[in-house]
PDB file of all heavy atoms in Angstrom:
ATOM      1  N   PHE W   1     136.078-144.942 195.347  1.00 96.00           N
ATOM      2  CA  PHE W   1     135.422-145.964 194.526  1.00 96.00           C
ATOM      3  C   PHE W   1     134.044-146.332 195.075  1.00 96.00           C
ATOM      4  O   PHE W   1     133.053-146.339 194.340  1.00 96.00           O
ATOM      5  CB  PHE W   1     136.292-147.215 194.441  1.00 96.00           C
ATOM      6  CG  PHE W   1     135.599-148.358 193.758  1.00 96.00           C
ATOM      7  CD1 PHE W   1     135.359-148.331 192.390  1.00 96.00           C
ATOM      8  CD2 PHE W   1     135.155-149.452 194.487  1.00 96.00           C
ATOM      9  CE1 PHE W   1     134.687-149.383 191.763  1.00 96.00           C
ATOM     10  CE2 PHE W   1     134.499-150.512 193.867  1.00 96.00           C
ATOM     11  CZ  PHE W   1     134.260-150.466 192.502  1.00 96.00           C
ATOM     12  N   PHE W   2     133.984-146.655 196.355  1.00 95.00           N
ATOM     13  CA  PHE W   2     132.711-147.081 196.927  1.00 95.00           C
ATOM     14  C   PHE W   2     131.680-145.955 196.943  1.00 95.00           C
ATOM     15  O   PHE W   2     130.488-146.186 196.734  1.00 95.00           O
ATOM     16  CB  PHE W   2     132.924-147.629 198.337  1.00 95.00           C
ATOM     17  CG  PHE W   2     133.593-148.969 198.361  1.00 95.00           C
ATOM     18  CD1 PHE W   2     134.858-149.125 198.913  1.00 95.00           C
ATOM     19  CD2 PHE W   2     132.976-150.085 197.807  1.00 95.00           C
ATOM     20  CE1 PHE W   2     135.489-150.364 198.923  1.00 95.00           C
ATOM     21  CE2 PHE W   2     133.593-151.327 197.803  1.00 95.00           C
ATOM     22  CZ  PHE W   2     134.853-151.459 198.371  1.00 95.00           C
ATOM     23  N   GLY W   3     132.151-144.736 197.186  1.00 96.00           N
ATOM     24  CA  GLY W   3     131.237-143.599 197.193  1.00 96.00           C
ATOM     25  C   GLY W   3     130.624-143.343 195.821  1.00 96.00           C
ATOM     26  O   GLY W   3     129.402-143.162 195.693  1.00 96.00           O
ATOM     27  N   LEU W   4     131.448-143.343 194.788  1.00 96.00           N
ATOM     28  CA  LEU W   4     130.967-143.093 193.430  1.00 96.00           C
ATOM     29  C   LEU W   4     130.072-144.227 192.939  1.00 96.00           C
ATOM     30  O   LEU W   4     129.023-143.991 192.325  1.00 96.00           O
ATOM     31  CB  LEU W   4     132.150-142.913 192.474  1.00 96.00           C
ATOM     32  CG  LEU W   4     133.016-141.673 192.707  1.00 96.00           C
ATOM     33  CD1 LEU W   4     134.251-141.721 191.813  1.00 96.00           C
ATOM     34  CD2 LEU W   4     132.221-140.399 192.452  1.00 96.00           C
ATOM     35  N   SER W   5     130.476-145.461 193.213  1.00 95.00           N
ATOM     36  CA  SER W   5     129.682-146.616 192.788  1.00 95.00           C
ATOM     37  C   SER W   5     128.327-146.615 193.482  1.00 95.00           C
ATOM     38  O   SER W   5     127.294-146.848 192.846  1.00 95.00           O
ATOM     39  CB  SER W   5     130.419-147.919 193.111  1.00 95.00           C
ATOM     40  OG  SER W   5     131.628-148.009 192.396  1.00 95.00           O
ATOM     41  N   ALA W   6     128.341-146.346 194.789  1.00 95.00           N
ATOM     42  CA  ALA W   6     127.093-146.327 195.544  1.00 95.00           C
ATOM     43  C   ALA W   6     126.163-145.236 195.029  1.00 95.00           C
ATOM     44  O   ALA W   6     124.941-145.448 194.928  1.00 95.00           O
ATOM     45  CB  ALA W   6     127.386-146.115 197.032  1.00 95.00           C
ATOM     46  N   TYR W   7     126.727-144.082 194.699  1.00 96.00           N
ATOM     47  CA  TYR W   7     125.916-142.973 194.194  1.00 96.00           C
ATOM     48  C   TYR W   7     125.168-143.372 192.928  1.00 96.00           C
ATOM     49  O   TYR W   7     123.961-143.147 192.801  1.00 96.00           O
ATOM     50  CB  TYR W   7     126.807-141.762 193.926  1.00 96.00           C
ATOM     51  CG  TYR W   7     126.092-140.640 193.211  1.00 96.00           C
ATOM     52  CD1 TYR W   7     125.196-139.827 193.890  1.00 96.00           C
ATOM     53  CD2 TYR W   7     126.306-140.406 191.854  1.00 96.00           C
ATOM     54  CE1 TYR W   7     124.522-138.802 193.238  1.00 96.00           C
ATOM     55  CE2 TYR W   7     125.638-139.390 191.188  1.00 96.00           C
ATOM     56  CZ  TYR W   7     124.752-138.588 191.891  1.00 96.00           C
ATOM     57  OH  TYR W   7     124.080-137.586 191.227  1.00 96.00           O
ATOM     58  N   VAL W   8     125.880-143.981 191.987  1.00 95.00           N
ATOM     59  CA  VAL W   8     125.253-144.372 190.724  1.00 95.00           C
ATOM     60  C   VAL W   8     124.253-145.510 190.935  1.00 95.00           C
ATOM     61  O   VAL W   8     123.158-145.507 190.373  1.00 95.00           O
ATOM     62  CB  VAL W   8     126.319-144.784 189.693  1.00 95.00           C
ATOM     63  CG1 VAL W   8     125.666-145.274 188.400  1.00 95.00           C
ATOM     64  CG2 VAL W   8     127.249-143.621 189.387  1.00 95.00           C
ATOM     65  N   LEU W   9     124.612-146.478 191.767  1.00 93.00           N
ATOM     66  CA  LEU W   9     123.738-147.625 192.002  1.00 93.00           C
ATOM     67  C   LEU W   9     122.456-147.219 192.719  1.00 93.00           C
ATOM     68  O   LEU W   9     121.376-147.754 192.446  1.00 93.00           O
ATOM     69  CB  LEU W   9     124.470-148.693 192.824  1.00 93.00           C
ATOM     70  CG  LEU W   9     125.587-149.447 192.096  1.00 93.00           C
ATOM     71  CD1 LEU W   9     126.374-150.303 193.077  1.00 93.00           C
ATOM     72  CD2 LEU W   9     125.010-150.316 190.974  1.00 93.00           C
ATOM     73  N   ILE W  10     122.560-146.268 193.637  1.00 93.00           N
ATOM     74  CA  ILE W  10     121.387-145.844 194.409  1.00 93.00           C
ATOM     75  C   ILE W  10     120.491-144.912 193.597  1.00 93.00           C
ATOM     76  O   ILE W  10     119.275-145.068 193.567  1.00 93.00           O
ATOM     77  CB  ILE W  10     121.818-145.154 195.722  1.00 93.00           C
ATOM     78  CG1 ILE W  10     122.468-146.187 196.654  1.00 93.00           C
ATOM     79  CG2 ILE W  10     120.621-144.504 196.420  1.00 93.00           C
ATOM     80  CD1 ILE W  10     123.114-145.582 197.886  1.00 93.00           C
ATOM     81  N   THR W  11     121.099-143.936 192.923  1.00 93.00           N
ATOM     82  CA  THR W  11     120.303-142.964 192.163  1.00 93.00           C
ATOM     83  C   THR W  11     119.847-143.506 190.815  1.00 93.00           C
ATOM     84  O   THR W  11     118.885-142.999 190.233  1.00 93.00           O
ATOM     85  CB  THR W  11     121.105-141.680 191.929  1.00 93.00           C
ATOM     86  OG1 THR W  11     122.265-141.968 191.114  1.00 93.00           O
ATOM     87  CG2 THR W  11     121.557-141.071 193.249  1.00 93.00           C
ATOM     88  N   ARG W  12     120.566-144.535 190.296  1.00 92.00           N
ATOM     89  CA  ARG W  12     120.283-145.117 188.976  1.00 92.00           C
ATOM     90  C   ARG W  12     120.393-144.085 187.856  1.00 92.00           C
ATOM     91  O   ARG W  12     119.761-144.227 186.800  1.00 92.00           O
ATOM     92  CB  ARG W  12     118.878-145.737 188.942  1.00 92.00           C
ATOM     93  CG  ARG W  12     118.517-146.597 190.132  1.00 92.00           C
ATOM     94  CD  ARG W  12     119.322-147.871 190.193  1.00 92.00           C
ATOM     95  NE  ARG W  12     118.952-148.822 189.145  1.00 92.00           N
ATOM     96  CZ  ARG W  12     119.432-150.067 189.077  1.00 92.00           C
ATOM     97  NH1 ARG W  12     120.303-150.486 189.985  1.00 92.00           N
ATOM     98  NH2 ARG W  12     119.064-150.871 188.110  1.00 92.00           N
ATOM     99  N   LYS W  13     121.221-143.082 188.041  1.00 92.00           N
ATOM    100  CA  LYS W  13     121.363-142.042 187.033  1.00 92.00           C
ATOM    101  C   LYS W  13     122.117-142.561 185.809  1.00 92.00           C
ATOM    102  O   LYS W  13     123.042-143.349 185.929  1.00 92.00           O
ATOM    103  CB  LYS W  13     122.093-140.826 187.611  1.00 92.00           C
ATOM    104  CG  LYS W  13     121.226-139.980 188.525  1.00 92.00           C
ATOM    105  CD  LYS W  13     121.911-138.675 188.872  1.00 92.00           C
ATOM    106  CE  LYS W  13     120.994-137.773 189.690  1.00 92.00           C
ATOM    107  NZ  LYS W  13     121.639-136.465 190.021  1.00 92.00           N
ATOM    108  N   ASP W  14     121.683-142.088 184.653  1.00 93.00           N
ATOM    109  CA  ASP W  14     122.344-142.451 183.399  1.00 93.00           C
ATOM    110  C   ASP W  14     123.515-141.495 183.176  1.00 93.00           C
ATOM    111  O   ASP W  14     123.313-140.296 182.981  1.00 93.00           O
ATOM    112  CB  ASP W  14     121.339-142.358 182.250  1.00 93.00           C
ATOM    113  CG  ASP W  14     121.923-142.843 180.929  1.00 93.00           C
ATOM    114  OD1 ASP W  14     123.129-143.151 180.894  1.00 93.00           O
ATOM    115  OD2 ASP W  14     121.177-142.898 179.937  1.00 93.00           O
ATOM    116  N   MET W  15     124.725-142.018 183.214  1.00 94.00           N
ATOM    117  CA  MET W  15     125.922-141.196 183.076  1.00 94.00           C
ATOM    118  C   MET W  15     126.496-141.213 181.661  1.00 94.00           C
ATOM    119  O   MET W  15     127.656-140.855 181.458  1.00 94.00           O
ATOM    120  CB  MET W  15     126.988-141.683 184.069  1.00 94.00           C
ATOM    121  CG  MET W  15     126.600-141.538 185.521  1.00 94.00           C
ATOM    122  SD  MET W  15     126.506-139.802 186.006  1.00 94.00           S
ATOM    123  CE  MET W  15     125.900-139.958 187.695  1.00 94.00           C
ATOM    124  N   SER W  16     125.688-141.632 180.702  1.00 92.00           N
ATOM    125  CA  SER W  16     126.188-141.715 179.326  1.00 92.00           C
ATOM    126  C   SER W  16     126.581-140.347 178.775  1.00 92.00           C
ATOM    127  O   SER W  16     127.368-140.264 177.820  1.00 92.00           O
ATOM    128  CB  SER W  16     125.142-142.360 178.420  1.00 92.00           C
ATOM    129  OG  SER W  16     123.939-141.626 178.429  1.00 92.00           O
ATOM    130  N   PHE W  17     126.056-139.273 179.374  1.00 94.00           N
ATOM    131  CA  PHE W  17     126.393-137.930 178.907  1.00 94.00           C
ATOM    132  C   PHE W  17     127.872-137.594 179.137  1.00 94.00           C
ATOM    133  O   PHE W  17     128.387-136.611 178.586  1.00 94.00           O
ATOM    134  CB  PHE W  17     125.517-136.888 179.624  1.00 94.00           C
ATOM    135  CG  PHE W  17     125.780-136.764 181.095  1.00 94.00           C
ATOM    136  CD1 PHE W  17     126.722-135.863 181.580  1.00 94.00           C
ATOM    137  CD2 PHE W  17     125.086-137.540 182.008  1.00 94.00           C
ATOM    138  CE1 PHE W  17     126.972-135.741 182.934  1.00 94.00           C
ATOM    139  CE2 PHE W  17     125.330-137.442 183.369  1.00 94.00           C
ATOM    140  CZ  PHE W  17     126.278-136.539 183.826  1.00 94.00           C
ATOM    141  N   LEU W  18     128.556-138.416 179.951  1.00 94.00           N
ATOM    142  CA  LEU W  18     129.975-138.170 180.229  1.00 94.00           C
ATOM    143  C   LEU W  18     130.893-138.622 179.100  1.00 94.00           C
ATOM    144  O   LEU W  18     132.090-138.335 179.126  1.00 94.00           O
ATOM    145  CB  LEU W  18     130.392-138.892 181.514  1.00 94.00           C
ATOM    146  CG  LEU W  18     129.835-138.359 182.841  1.00 94.00           C
ATOM    147  CD1 LEU W  18     130.237-139.304 183.981  1.00 94.00           C
ATOM    148  CD2 LEU W  18     130.333-136.952 183.107  1.00 94.00           C
ATOM    149  N   ALA W  19     130.346-139.328 178.114  1.00 93.00           N
ATOM    150  CA  ALA W  19     131.176-139.905 177.050  1.00 93.00           C
ATOM    151  C   ALA W  19     132.045-138.869 176.351  1.00 93.00           C
ATOM    152  O   ALA W  19     133.257-139.067 176.169  1.00 93.00           O
ATOM    153  CB  ALA W  19     130.290-140.634 176.034  1.00 93.00           C
ATOM    154  N   GLY W  20     131.442-137.749 175.951  1.00 93.00           N
ATOM    155  CA  GLY W  20     132.198-136.708 175.255  1.00 93.00           C
ATOM    156  C   GLY W  20     133.272-136.091 176.136  1.00 93.00           C
ATOM    157  O   GLY W  20     134.405-135.853 175.694  1.00 93.00           O
ATOM    158  N   THR W  21     132.934-135.853 177.397  1.00 93.00           N
ATOM    159  CA  THR W  21     133.897-135.288 178.349  1.00 93.00           C
ATOM    160  C   THR W  21     135.068-136.223 178.567  1.00 93.00           C
ATOM    161  O   THR W  21     136.226-135.794 178.652  1.00 93.00           O
ATOM    162  CB  THR W  21     133.209-135.005 179.699  1.00 93.00           C
ATOM    163  OG1 THR W  21     132.096-134.121 179.494  1.00 93.00           O
ATOM    164  CG2 THR W  21     134.177-134.362 180.675  1.00 93.00           C
ATOM    165  N   LEU W  22     134.771-137.524 178.652  1.00 94.00           N
ATOM    166  CA  LEU W  22     135.828-138.504 178.849  1.00 94.00           C
ATOM    167  C   LEU W  22     136.768-138.577 177.651  1.00 94.00           C
ATOM    168  O   LEU W  22     137.990-138.714 177.817  1.00 94.00           O
ATOM    169  CB  LEU W  22     135.214-139.887 179.119  1.00 94.00           C
ATOM    170  CG  LEU W  22     134.521-140.047 180.474  1.00 94.00           C
ATOM    171  CD1 LEU W  22     133.762-141.361 180.539  1.00 94.00           C
ATOM    172  CD2 LEU W  22     135.544-139.964 181.604  1.00 94.00           C
ATOM    173  N   MET W  23     136.220-138.484 176.466  1.00 94.00           N
ATOM    174  CA  MET W  23     137.061-138.513 175.270  1.00 94.00           C
ATOM    175  C   MET W  23     137.981-137.291 175.234  1.00 94.00           C
ATOM    176  O   MET W  23     139.189-137.412 174.956  1.00 94.00           O
ATOM    177  CB  MET W  23     136.188-138.543 174.020  1.00 94.00           C
ATOM    178  CG  MET W  23     136.985-138.579 172.712  1.00 94.00           C
ATOM    179  SD  MET W  23     138.135-139.981 172.609  1.00 94.00           S
ATOM    180  CE  MET W  23     136.957-141.345 172.470  1.00 94.00           C
ATOM    181  N   ALA W  24     137.419-136.131 175.539  1.00 94.00           N
ATOM    182  CA  ALA W  24     138.233-134.915 175.563  1.00 94.00           C
ATOM    183  C   ALA W  24     139.284-134.998 176.664  1.00 94.00           C
ATOM    184  O   ALA W  24     140.449-134.631 176.467  1.00 94.00           O
ATOM    185  CB  ALA W  24     137.330-133.698 175.783  1.00 94.00           C
ATOM    186  N   GLY W  25     138.877-135.511 177.836  1.00 93.00           N
ATOM    187  CA  GLY W  25     139.802-135.641 178.953  1.00 93.00           C
ATOM    188  C   GLY W  25     140.946-136.582 178.646  1.00 93.00           C
ATOM    189  O   GLY W  25     142.089-136.354 179.062  1.00 93.00           O
ATOM    190  N   PHE W  26     140.652-137.652 177.903  1.00 93.00           N
ATOM    191  CA  PHE W  26     141.688-138.612 177.528  1.00 93.00           C
ATOM    192  C   PHE W  26     142.799-137.939 176.736  1.00 93.00           C
ATOM    193  O   PHE W  26     143.986-138.110 177.022  1.00 93.00           O
ATOM    194  CB  PHE W  26     141.059-139.747 176.707  1.00 93.00           C
ATOM    195  CG  PHE W  26     142.059-140.682 176.098  1.00 93.00           C
ATOM    196  CD1 PHE W  26     142.657-141.676 176.863  1.00 93.00           C
ATOM    197  CD2 PHE W  26     142.414-140.577 174.756  1.00 93.00           C
ATOM    198  CE1 PHE W  26     143.594-142.540 176.299  1.00 93.00           C
ATOM    199  CE2 PHE W  26     143.339-141.437 174.188  1.00 93.00           C
ATOM    200  CZ  PHE W  26     143.932-142.416 174.964  1.00 93.00           C
TER     201      PHE W  26
END
């Protein structure tokens, strides 16, 4: 949890592209 959160918070990357993958994964 802390590793993933820190990665996004530090890099400020937009992860919205994961939406389709998450829907398929669900």
Side-chain angles (χ1 to χ4, degrees):
F1 173 71
F2 287 115
L4 294 172
S5 297
Y7 171 75
V8 177
L9 289 171
I10 292 171
T11 63
R12 314 292 289 187
K13 284 190 175 181
D14 185 355
M15 297 292 175
S16 59
F17 67 90
L18 290 174
T21 303
L22 290 171
M23 180 57 69
F26 171 79

